[in-house]
Amino acid sequence: MDISLPSDEFIKTSFQDACKTLGIENFEQSLKQTVIYDMTDGMRTSTQLKGSNAYYDGGIFVVRLMNIMRVLGMPACYVNVIEEKHRQRDNYSDIYEGLKLLYATYEEYAQKYGVRLNFVGDLETALEPSGSSGGFGENLKRLCQKTAGNTQFTANFLINYSLDWAMKHESYFTGFPKIDVTIRHTKLQFPTGMMLPPTISDFSSLMYVQQGSASSTWNDNQLIYLVAVALRSKILNESTQYFKQYADGERDFVRSQRETELYLVHRRPFVEKLIGDIMYAKIKTSSIPLAENVPQTKRMMITGNLGPEIYEF
């Protein structure tokens, strides 16, 4: 496996520091019940990488992210990979070839760290671009079976997926974990085709990340803060959907902050620290060139019932 992953100690210590900076207390129990859906995007524009190499880079981003979640004790995640409409794109062959390049890496990672890989979507329809030989869907099924007994973490990958398919196979999702936070890269949109059924996603908060999910532009600290800000989004939005009850005086406070004071948190607490003593995860692979090791600021936005919070680091 040609990825250098940070130590468990580094992840845990850095995450604790991030939570302290973000004002998150007693996070251990919340983490064990937090499920993130990362809507990857930006493969064509975030780096100078071309074709399947860009999508391979995106797949490495996901390995590094789910490794952090696993080490922190989170139970599962969801990741979008191929939506049915993606197959109509003129670069679908690049997406498919990148996926094939990642197969061995994901298999090795899953077996080494006890991760269950689950592929959600229509694997009966051939995934291959027109003119290519078939069988990749069967390979994914075998990988799912091979890792079915792994219990350290579960990664659910949406492949040849659509909400239409999901609603026709609703019983398939029985027992699946509910999403707490949906992370959307590059676009402040939530395409219907990539949504999960309401039984899975109805209480999820939405988090916007301006930068794409390209591994070669994210260092380990930035990925750790990505998870920490997502946890803050979950905490801010717990019990605010459908069943919110207001205590005495709370409505007036919310109204004042949101409507009159125009509540906004805009913090850049991490930039200088990252520039000063950053640690990079080196991607050791002949498949893609490394981006220049220059810190690049990441921006993300979450909201609570008072208004938006923007973090840059």
Side-chain angles (χ1 to χ4, degrees):
M1 185 173 62
D2 295 329
I3 314 172
S4 178
L5 298 173
S7 69
D8 290 7
E9 181 181 1
F10 174 82
I11 291 172
K12 292 176 181 178
T13 301
S14 298
F15 190 81
Q16 186 174 8
D17 291 343
C19 287
K20 183 178 180 180
T21 302
L22 294 168
I24 303 172
E25 299 178 350
N26 304 318
F27 58 83
E28 291 87 354
Q29 191 59 38
S30 291
L31 274 178
K32 294 177 182 178
Q33 302 170 344
T34 299
V35 177
I36 289 173
Y37 173 21
D38 193 279
M39 298 191 71
T40 58
D41 202 1
M43 297 303 95
R44 291 174 292 178
T45 54
S46 296
T47 70
Q48 296 296 320
L49 297 170
K50 304 295 183 183
S52 60
N53 288 334
Y55 290 96
Y56 180 90
D57 193 32
I60 298 301
F61 172 94
V62 173
V63 175
R64 293 172 60 208
L65 180 61
M66 70 179 182
N67 183 66
I68 290 168
M69 292 188 279
R70 176 191 65 82
V71 170
L72 292 174
M74 299 168 72
C77 72
Y78 294 81
V79 180
N80 70 313
V81 181
I82 299 173
E83 198 259 337
E84 285 181 353
K85 293 185 178 68
H86 285 150
R87 302 183 64 195
Q88 303 171 22
R89 283 170 42 164
D90 58 3
N91 71 330
Y92 176 67
S93 60
D94 294 334
I95 300 173
Y96 172 74
E97 290 299 326
L99 186 60
K100 285 207 305 181
L101 285 171
L102 290 160
Y103 186 94
T105 297
Y106 274 69
E107 180 178 21
E108 183 179 350
Y109 176 83
Q111 297 294 36
K112 183 175 182 178
Y113 294 104
V115 173
R116 179 186 177 190
L117 303 180
N118 190 35
F119 302 101
V120 181
D122 181 9
L123 299 184
E124 304 305 322
T125 299
L127 299 176
E128 291 73 16
S130 177
S132 302
S133 58
F136 192 65
E138 293 302 317
N139 290 342
L140 293 180
K141 290 180 188 178
R142 282 192 288 271
L143 186 53
C144 181
Q145 293 167 359
K146 187 180 294 187
T147 64
N150 293 346
T151 59
Q152 294 302 303
F153 187 79
T154 299
N156 299 294
F157 296 97
L158 278 55
I159 294 183
N160 205 24
Y161 175 88
S162 71
L163 184 58
D164 288 341
W165 177 90
M167 298 309 292
K168 292 173 183 175
H169 300 81
E170 198 165 1
S171 61
Y172 175 88
F173 293 89
T174 301
F176 273 56
K178 292 179 171 58
I179 301 168
D180 296 291
V181 183
T182 298
I183 299 174
R184 183 68 165 109
H185 291 266
T186 72
K187 305 176 184 72
L188 190 53
Q189 303 168 345
F190 200 168
T192 304
M194 295 304 290
M195 291 181 181
L196 286 158
T199 53
I200 302 296
S201 59
D202 212 14
F203 291 90
S204 173
S205 63
L206 181 61
M207 172 175 164
Y208 169 66
V209 179
Q210 185 169 339
Q211 287 72 34
S213 50
S215 181
S216 53
T217 66
W218 287 76
N219 57 57
D220 290 329
N221 265 319
Q222 290 170 331
L223 287 173
I224 289 166
Y225 274 108
L226 178 69
V227 177
V229 176
L231 179 61
R232 178 166 174 81
S233 180
K234 173 189 174 175
I235 293 170
L236 282 177
N237 290 284
E238 280 182 324
S239 303
T240 61
Q241 182 81 323
Y242 299 126
F243 309 120
K244 169 68 177 174
Q245 294 182 341
Y246 288 95
D248 289 344
E250 187 179 4
R251 288 192 303 169
D252 292 337
F253 174 76
V254 169
R255 182 186 305 112
S256 173
Q257 290 293 304
R258 187 175 61 203
E259 308 291 341
T260 305
E261 300 298 326
L262 301 179
Y263 175 93
L264 171 66
V265 173
H266 189 181
R267 295 179 183 164
R268 301 184 55 153
F270 319 123
V271 175
E272 292 193 6
K273 178 182 178 182
L274 292 181
I275 290 174
D277 57 5
I278 195 60
M279 293 184 64
Y280 283 91
K282 305 293 186 181
I283 306 170
K284 300 175 182 176
T285 172
S286 59
S287 299
I288 60 172
L290 281 172
E292 290 294 325
N293 287 343
V294 176
Q296 301 179 48
T297 302
K298 302 291 183 275
R299 176 184 289 151
M300 59 187 59
M301 181 175 72
I302 59 177
T303 63
N305 66 339
L306 299 182
E309 299 185 0
I310 299 173
Y311 295 95
E312 298 178 4
F313 54 91

